[in-house]
């Protein structure tokens, strides 16, 4: 089992001088689904931001190796090309940039990275059409500005649509279930499951066990005070749903 | 002693020569203009409405004025081709300050439309020129009086009553001279009742190592129910200064849209004064500036609501990088006699470097209670969250920045209602932000490529 997709070792990171991640260790192999849960403020979103390369966060210690590459040395766009995808908790609205231009720029930048010619207009539109179906995304959204005026559900579906287009090796879904109604949750989860293969992996960051009914994790980690303090199987999520975090907090704080 | 002195002296010493190369109506205005300048000065930096730009300094260098109308290289105009996609324009060229129509223009001008030298219009249409020339602009303001005192030639555009001109009129202003030169540019546009037309100015400088100053006064008479679109694009050189002032009088139901885009320049100041004099008249202003290096772009608007039921809207956007300086002084004035006014103004700016500066001063003067007015301004940086989001999708940082900048300009471009002009400007903005120097397809102006060897 030496086939490792992502290996995070002793990762420390923070924002504006405040340390938030205090030594994260995490190993993800191809085909695995990892859920990361934890109370508010424990560092879940920071972990996803740091892995994706958000310049607002500074890494102070530790490493992250992504299929043999030093992930932290790459620009955010190159992390994307290498197969990392972050589904944003709050997808950003970009007035004036149409979805079509946005996706064309993304797709062609990746092709350029791998020395390929840009996709022809016809092939590009065909790709868009195919991938839209994964999350039942309305065609009319394509002509609109990125996320502008999208409903909460549309924004999250749009994230999974982009994931479908970019075919990442590792997807980080940062609270993809927040702001979703039951139908949208089902559609988004079904989309994620359709994209699942034995080769690619997923990190699901969530507060609620409910999402894990749809996207079944192999491992569940509990993040608390910037560290992964507990790791278990899917049953850990059920236990958390039932008992809350206090028992873990006590366990850790009393150590 | 100020910059005006040298020009007053020039006029006093050469009045006969100036008059002999011009026309009667224009000559008759000169003595009064010269008197109006006595003891006056041009606006200086810090004056009200001129917080960052000194007109006095702009006019201070000893520019030549081509009094004897010598050596005007009209062949440049003939070789010139400025392509507007999918639109055939009626093209005319102004070399320094002399207008020459192209053969296309001569052949295709429909009946009822005139585009001719102002001196010729003084003979052909003395009544029209007499009615409007130097009457729409405030004749005694120093910059106007200076222009009137020295203008020997100019451009006259008349859209006859009821004529709807389909092709835009395109005027290419070119500077070309071996020695520093002031172009005294004068334009009179008369849109007669129920007429409709679009006019598009492109400003270029061919001799990049020579200093130029464009002193431009544009007077627009928007007669009843006329509709005019006037757009201008400046792509000149770091050694070119420009003080351009547009004055429009709008009669009942007349509509005017004025747009300006500054892509390359030295020091530029544009003034736009729109007088909504007739009921239900409308005035729309838009401006965009993309400035880097040492560029200095200052736009000033005065939209005067002088009659009931008039609408106006203004949108100005600036993108400033390096050491660029931007300024916007915007005004809406609502007269006591102008109830039911709708007047809006918006200014948005992106300052992309720590050294670039933006000065903005939106103003509302409302002397009436029956109005819907607003003004707003914001200056900031590109949205860091949007940049990261795009990068996270694989879009390289520089590309993402460029896309966001273009997006920022989109609504300004959307104010342009003439499709061909809009798509052309869109193309120019994209190329400009892509760092390209020569901007137009098939453009022979070569504004930026011949620093050491002036074109013939």
């Amino acid at each position: 089992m030496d086939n490792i997709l992502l290996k995070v070792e002793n990762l420390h990171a923070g924002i504006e001088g405040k340390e938030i991640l205090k030594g994260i260790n995490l190993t993800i192999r191809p085909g695995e689904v990892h859920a990361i849960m934890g109370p508010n403020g424990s560092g879940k979103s920071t972990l996803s931001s740091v892995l994706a390369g958000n310049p607002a966060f500074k890494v102070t210690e530790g490493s992250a190796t992504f299929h043999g590459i030093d992930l932290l040395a790459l620009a955010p766009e190159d992390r994307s090309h290498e197969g990392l995808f972050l589904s944003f908790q709050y997808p950003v609205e970009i007035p004036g940039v149409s979805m079509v231009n946005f996706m064309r720029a993304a797709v062609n930048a990746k092709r350029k990275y791998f020395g390929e010619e840009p996709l022809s207009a016809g092939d590009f539109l065909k790709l868009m059409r195919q991938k839209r179906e994964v999350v039942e995304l309305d065609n009319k959204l394509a002509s609109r500005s990125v996320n502008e005026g999208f409903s909460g559900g549309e924004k999250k579906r749009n994230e999974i649509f982009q994931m479908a287009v970019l075919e990442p090796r590792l997807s980080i879904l940062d609270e993809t279930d927040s702001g979703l109604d039951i139908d949208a949750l089902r559609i988004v989860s079904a989309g994620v499951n359709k994209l699942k293969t034995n080769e690619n992996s997923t990190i699901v960051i969530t507060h609620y066990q409910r999402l894990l009914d749809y996207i079944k994790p192999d491992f569940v980690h509990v993040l608390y005070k910037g560290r992964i303090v507990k790791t278990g199987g899917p049953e850990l999520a059920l236990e958390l749903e039932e008992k809350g975090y206090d028992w873990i907090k006590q366990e850790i704080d009393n150590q | 002693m100020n910059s005006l002195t040298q020009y007053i002296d020039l006029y006093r010493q050469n009045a006969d020569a100036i008059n002999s190369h011009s026309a009667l109506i224009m000559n008759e205005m000169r003595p009064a203009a010269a008197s109006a300048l006595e003891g006056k000065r041009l606006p200086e930096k810090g004056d009200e409405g001129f917080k960052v730009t000194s007109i006095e300094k702009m006019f201070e260098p000893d520019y030549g004025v081509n009094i004897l109308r010598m050596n005007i290289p009209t062949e440049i105009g003939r070789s010139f081709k400025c392509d507007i996609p999918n639109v055939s324009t009626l093209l005319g060229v102004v070399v320094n300050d002399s207008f020459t129509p192209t053969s296309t223009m001569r052949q295709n001008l429909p009946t009822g439309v005139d585009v001719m030298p102002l001196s010729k219009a003084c003979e052909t249409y003395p009544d029209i020129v007499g009615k409007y020339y130097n009457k729409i602009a405030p004749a005694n303001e120093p910059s106007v009086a200076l222009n009137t005192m020295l203008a020997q030639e100019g451009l006259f555009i008349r859209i006859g009553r009821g004529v709807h001109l389909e092709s835009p009129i395109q005027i290419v202003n070119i500077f070309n001279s071996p020695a520093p030169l002031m172009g005294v540019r004068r334009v009179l546009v008369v849109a007669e009742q129920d007429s409709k037309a679009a006019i598009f100015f492109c400003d270029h400088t061919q001799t990049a190592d020579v200093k130029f100053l464009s002193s431009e006064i544009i007077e627009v008479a928007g007669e009843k129910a006329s509709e005019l679109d006037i757009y201008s694009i400046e792509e000149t050189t770091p050694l070119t200064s420009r003080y351009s002032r547009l004055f429009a009088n709008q009669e009942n139901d007349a509509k005017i849209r004025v747009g300006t885009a500054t892509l390359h320049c030295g020091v530029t100041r544009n003034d736009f004064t729109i007088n909504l004099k007739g009921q239900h008249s409308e005035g729309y202003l838009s401006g965009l500036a993309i400035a880097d290096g040492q560029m200095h772009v200052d736009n000033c608007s005065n939209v005067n609501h002088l009659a009931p039921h008039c609408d106006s809207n203004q949108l100005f956007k600036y993108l400033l990088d390096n050491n660029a300086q931007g300024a916007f002084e915007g005004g809406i004035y609502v007269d006591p006699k102008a109830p039911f006014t709708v007047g809006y103004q918006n200014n948005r700016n992106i300052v992309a470097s720590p050294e670039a500066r933006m000065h903005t001063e939106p103003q509302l003067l409302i002397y009436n209670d029956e109005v819907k007015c607003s003004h707003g301004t914001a200056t900031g940086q590109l949205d860091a969250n949007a940049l990261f989001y795009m990068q996270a999708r694989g879009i390289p940082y520089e590309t993402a920045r460029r896309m966001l900048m273009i997006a920022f300009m989109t609504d300004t471009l959307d104010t342009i209602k003439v499709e061909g002009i809009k798509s052309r400007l869109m193309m120019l903005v994209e190329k400009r932000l892509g760092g390209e120097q020569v901007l137009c397809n098939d453009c022979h102006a070569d504004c930026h490529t011949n620093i050491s060897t002036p074109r013939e």
Side-chain angles (χ1 to χ4, degrees), chain A residues 77 81 86 109 147 159 162, chain B residues 388-389 391-394 397 404:
Chain A
E77 54 266 37
H81 301 323
L86 170 62
N147 291 322
E159 294 292 284
Q162 293 169 38
Chain B
F388 174 60
Y389 186 68
Q391 282 183 277
R393 295 297 174 261
Y397 179 76
L404 288 178

Side-chain angles (χ1 to χ4, degrees), chain B residues 26 90-94 97-101 105 109 114-122 129 133 151-158 169-173 184-190 199-201 216-219:
Chain B
M26 298 172 79
L90 300 159
L91 181 66
V93 180
V94 174
D97 44 22
S98 292
F99 168 71
T100 321
M105 177 181 265
L109 266 189
D114 293 289
V115 183
M116 60 170 68
L118 190 51
S119 61
K120 190 178 164 198
C122 288
V129 177
Y133 179 72
Q152 294 170 278
E153 194 43 278
L155 172 66
F156 175 80
I157 298 175
R158 182 186 74 93
I169 294 169
Q170 186 182 14
I171 303 296
V172 179
N173 287 315
V184 185
R185 291 172 171 166
R186 189 78 180 213
V187 181
L188 176 58
V189 178
V190 180
I199 304 167
F200 176 44
F201 293 93
E216 184 175 53
I217 301 289
I218 301 173
E219 291 176 285

Side-chain angles (χ1 to χ4, degrees), chain A residues 1 94 131 196 248:
Chain A
M1 290 290 276
I94 314 178
K131 302 298 183 181
K196 194 81 207 65
I248 295 181

Side-chain angles (χ1 to χ4, degrees), chain B residues 221-228 248-257 274-284 303-313 337-343:
Chain B
E223 296 187 351
K224 280 181 191 166
S226 60
E227 189 174 340
L228 267 182
N249 280 355
Q250 299 299 101
E251 295 180 10
N252 287 359
D253 303 301
K255 189 187 278 188
I256 189 167
R257 278 180 289 263
I274 295 182
N275 299 312
L276 300 171
K277 294 187 141 182
Q279 293 200 19
H280 297 284
S281 59
E282 298 168 43
Y284 303 99
V303 174
N304 300 314
H305 283 260
L306 306 171
H309 298 288
C310 295
D311 284 12
S312 73
N313 201 344
K337 296 192 298 290
F340 313 111
T341 284
V342 178

